[in-house]
Every structure is written in C-alpha cells, then in structure tokens.
Amino acid sequence: MQDPNPITQVPIIQIDVAIVGAGPIGLCFANALSRRGVSSVLIDRQSRSSLETPGNDGREIALTRASQQILDKLDVWPRVDPVERARMRAAKVFDGQSLFAMQIAPAASRDEPLGCLVPNQVIRRAAYAAVSASGPGRAEVLWRNESEIEAFQADDAQVEIRLRGGERLHAALLVAADGRFSATRRAIGVPAHIYQHGQHMLVCRMRHEQAHDQTAWEWFGHGQTLALLPVDTHCSSVVLTLPPAEMEAQLAMPQAAFEADITRRFDGRLGEMHQAGEAHRYPLASVYAERFVDRRQALIGDAAVGMHPVTAHGFNLGLEGLWRLATLIGDARSEGRDIASRPLLARYQREQRLATGPLFAATLAIVGLYTDDRKPARWLRKAVLRAGDAAWPVRRLIAGHLMRSAG
Ligand SMILES: Cc1cc2nc3c(=O)[nH]c(=O)nc-3n(C[C@H](O)[C@H](O)[C@H](O)COP(=O)(O)OP(=O)(O)OC[C@H]3O[C@@H](n4cnc5c(N)ncnc54)[C@H](O)[C@@H]3O)c2cc1C
C-alpha cells in the first residue's frame, strides 16, 4: 500500500546539535563541540565555496586577548597569517575640532599591544579551515549548504527538523547562529529588542601620508562619527557614520572627490588620503534577544546579541558565549548527562546575559551621548573626555575588555 505521507519515507539523520548559520560564530561553535566529542550539522544558505573563501566585507575585527586564546584552542589562530594581524598599540578619542585626545593604552609596565585587528574574511577563512580539518577524537560535522530549515518542533526528548527539500533531522539541541536578524530566533518565538540607529556605517581602507603609530582613533565630530583602525604604517581602515541620505551622497562621489572629502573630514591630520580598497556600507542596528534559550533551543552570536560596532565587542562576546555553551555541553557529554537539559541551558543564559547585558547597555548609552549634537551633550562629552579618569566609560569599555584574558 502506498504511504499517504511520503515524507516519512525519507531517512532521518540523528545528530547531537543542529546549528543554523555557518558564520564565524557557527563555524567556531561546531569546531568546539567536535573537540568535545559532540556531533553537529551546519545549515547555511550560502554555498560551501562562499563559506570556504569568503569575500572581503571591509570589517576589521578588534580581537580581545580572551578571543585570541579561544581561537588558539580551536586551531583557528595559527591559521591566521601573522601579516594579517595588525597590532593596535593604543587608541585616542577626540571630540569635535579639539586637538585634545583621550589616550587609551596599556599600563606602561605592560609591554603588550592594546589589541589586535584582523580582517573578518581572514577569521572566517581560518574558522572554516579549522572546522573542516579532521583530528583524533573529533566528532563529525555535517554540512547542509544552500539550505534552510522549513519547519521544526521541539519536545522534551529532541528537536525534529525538516529542511527545505524534505530532509529530516533529529537533534538533541537546535542552535540559532544566523545573525542579528535571525529567522530561527523568530521561528522559536523569542522576542528581541531591536534598536535602529538611523545611521549607516561606511568602512574602507585608505592610504595616508602620515604614519598612525599603530594607534586607533575614535573621533566624535559634530554630525559625524569617524574612526581609524591601523592596518600598516601608512594604511588604515576608515570608519565613517552618517545619516542614510548623506551616506548615499558620499558613496555616489567619484573617487577623487571621495578621497578629498575623507581627507577633509580627518582635518588633514594624516595628510592626503587615498582609497586602498572597496567601500562597504552597513545600516546600524543593535539587537538584544529577550531570552537566549528555550526548550532544547539556544541562541548564540549576533542572533542573541547584535552589538553596535563602536565598542568592537560583537564577535568577541559571541566567541565567549559559544565557548561557554560548548564547555557546558562537553562536560555534560563526558559525564553522560543530557547535553540540552533545562538547567544546562538556564546556566548558559544566566552567564551569557551577565557577560553581555552591562556592555550592551553601556554601548547604547555611549552611542546616544556621542551622536547627540545638542549643547548639553557636547558639554557632557567635553567634561568626561577631559576628566581622563580611569572610570571613563569608553576607556573602561574598550581597553578593559580588549586586554582581559579568557577565563
Ligand atoms: C562594520 C563592522 C565592524 C565590526 N567590528 C567588530 C570588532 O571590531 N570586534 C568585534 O568583536 N565585532 C565586530 N563586529 C561584529 C561582528 O562582525 C559580528 O558580531 C559577527 O560577524 C557575528 O557573527 P555571527 O556568525 O553571529 O553572524 P553572521 O556573521 O551574520 O553570520 C550568520 C550566518 O548565518 C547564515 N544565515 C542567515 N540566515 C540564515 C537562515 N535563515 N538559514 C540558514 N543560514 C542563514 C548566513 O549566511 C551567515 O553565514 C563588527 C561588525 C560590523 C558590521
């Protein structure tokens, strides 16, 4: 007799963890699980080749010391060519036209850089290579590319998943790692606080006459926010934040006019500036999910917390979070416990919210303070900048976080 429901004839794949999204966070999470003997499947809309050799997206990621340590344990850091690691010796924060700069640098006694900048596509390429390499004791990582989840249902025993095309999976845990506008988060039914900042961010490598001394700049001018991230002696990544209409005009400029305009915006402080790479634009939105877990489901990376890039925390916090969750899962597996029990997921949520909540709120406050051009905000900015106190929020947020070690 013919089966009235042909979908039941499709073989069911049993896997420990199904991960939606093979961005840098999904790739590193699958890698961390595999090293703890936990199998996973990575489901991503993109083709395998575009994940293996991702294009340049203009992002230079400021990595904390803790992130470098985690990436080292995942065998990702050794795959990042040293020429791609730009030392960030210090950072300066300017306000308006004043030449006064707040300095952020490691204590004189510490002979270490403040942080390290690596292009995002270099991290993604290394993360892909590391998860694809086999090794003793490593559990399998399956791939489902150019694929998406069509439907899923979680109960106390497992999550049943159907992919587009009809393939079926049974997993102990479903993890959303599909970015800040996560469709999986929506399908799980987790509300998120989304802050549209009404601004666009442009990132572009520029060469300049004067050297930057491996120092990053954050410049809160009036009507614009500028940053400069050191790449090599005479090359930096320029980050410009503007309202959408102004950004449109900026991107429509012929190259010579664009270069003259950026030189002018930087007040000629680094001499003439010339475009050294393609310009990329990002509409700015910050996202904080109301919950990071549900029954046999969890959110990681930008799907849980999508930070405003100004304090350079998004990937760093995502990496800390996946490491936290993978460690809890790995320990449960070693002790023969359920890898997605309610107490385990609740602990991940509690710890990750503690690690991200205050930074998320402080970053929003800083963005508000520094993009407000009304007089009281300008005065407050000047006051906090000149106070130069160790408790100054940007100093604490940028320097403290960048230099903290894992654990
Ligand atoms: C300009 C800029 C500068 C930044 N600078 C820093 C910095 O200095 N330091 C820092 O720590 N962070 C920084 N960040 C943040 C950092 O880039 C992100 O936190 C990081 O990329 C998040 O990785 P992710 O894997 O969670 O998400 P994503 O990189 O967004 O990856 C999501 C993946 O999911 C896939 N996907 C999406 N939807 C689906 C679906 N429905 N089904 C299947 N697959 C799907 C996508 O194809 C993609 O592969 C910056 C961000 C920007 C925009």
Side-chain angles (χ1 to χ4, degrees), residues 109-407:
S109 56
R110 294 176 76 166
D111 181 27
E112 304 161 83
L114 185 60
C116 180
L117 287 154
V118 178
N120 195 38
Q121 91 266 22
V122 171
I123 296 175
R124 290 176 59 196
R125 208 186 307 135
Y128 177 91
V131 74
S132 305
S134 54
R138 289 184 60 171
E140 67 176 343
V141 178
L142 302 179
W143 294 86
R144 292 295 179 269
N145 289 100
E146 296 172 70
S147 183
E148 271 179 290
I149 288 188
E150 203 166 68
F152 62 90
Q153 190 161 13
D155 59 30
D156 283 338
Q158 63 183 5
V159 191
E160 287 187 35
I161 299 163
R162 193 175 69 233
L163 299 183
R164 206 177 53 205
E167 191 178 19
R168 298 172 73 206
L169 312 166
H170 282 177
L173 177 67
L174 171 66
V175 173
D178 49 347
R180 65 186 62 202
F181 299 110
S182 170
T184 313
R185 182 180 66 218
R186 276 200 307 279
I188 295 173
V190 174
H193 301 276
I194 300 180
Y195 303 85
Q196 303 281 2
H197 296 288
Q199 300 249 308
H200 284 190
M201 181 175 266
L202 173 144
V203 284
C204 180
R205 280 195 177 188
M206 308 280 296
R207 300 205 73 81
H208 38 79
E209 286 175 325
Q210 314 291 334
H212 46 47
D213 196 21
Q214 294 306 125
T215 301
W217 293 11
E218 191 84 55
W219 190 351
F220 300 99
H222 303 148
Q224 63 174 17
T225 305
L226 279 171
L228 191 102
L229 305 170
V231 176
D232 62 35
T233 317
H234 291 274
C235 182
S236 298
S237 172
V238 164
V239 185
L240 169 65
T241 307
L242 289 175
E246 282 179 48
M247 186 62 81
E248 212 60 63
Q250 186 76 27
L251 287 167
M253 285 179 185
Q255 185 170 338
F258 176 86
E259 292 173 343
D261 185 76
I262 297 288
T263 305
R264 176 190 63 78
R265 286 181 188 275
F266 275 94
D267 226 3
R269 291 183 192 194
L270 288 170
E272 272 188 31
M273 299 178 83
H274 296 283
Q275 197 168 348
E278 203 189 328
H280 298 262
R281 179 216 323 222
Y282 293 92
L284 288 173
S286 307
V287 179
Y288 203 87
E290 221 162 74
R291 282 177 283 121
F292 295 174
V293 297
D294 208 315
R295 185 161 58 171
R296 295 200 169 272
Q297 296 154 100
L299 314 179
I300 59 173
D302 276 17
V305 182
M307 297 283 291
H308 189 294
V310 71
T311 46
H313 286 329
F315 178 65
N316 291 306
L317 291 176
L319 204 53
E320 257 184 59
L322 75 84
W323 187 253
R324 182 168 282 127
L325 183 57
T327 304
L328 291 170
I329 292 175
D331 290 349
R333 170 56 51 89
S334 315
E335 293 159 15
R337 290 185 281 114
D338 180 1
I339 61 164
S341 67
R342 280 174 200 254
L344 183 154
L345 295 179
R347 180 167 170 196
Y348 159 68
Q349 167 165 281
R350 197 168 54 247
E351 293 180 358
Q352 190 61 6
R353 286 178 80 92
L354 265 177
T356 56
L359 283 169
F360 186 83
T363 300
L364 278 189
I366 284 169
V367 170
L369 178 63
Y370 284 95
T371 51
D372 186 344
D373 281 330
R374 288 170 300 177
K375 267 196 177 144
R378 287 194 197 185
W379 289 334
L380 184 57
R381 276 206 300 261
K382 274 202 169 53
V384 284
L385 196 64
R386 285 183 186 273
D389 176 75
W392 195 70
V394 172
R395 187 202 291 253
R396 278 184 59 187
L397 268 172
I398 300 178
H401 188 76
L402 281 172
M403 300 202 64
R404 197 165 52 82
S405 291

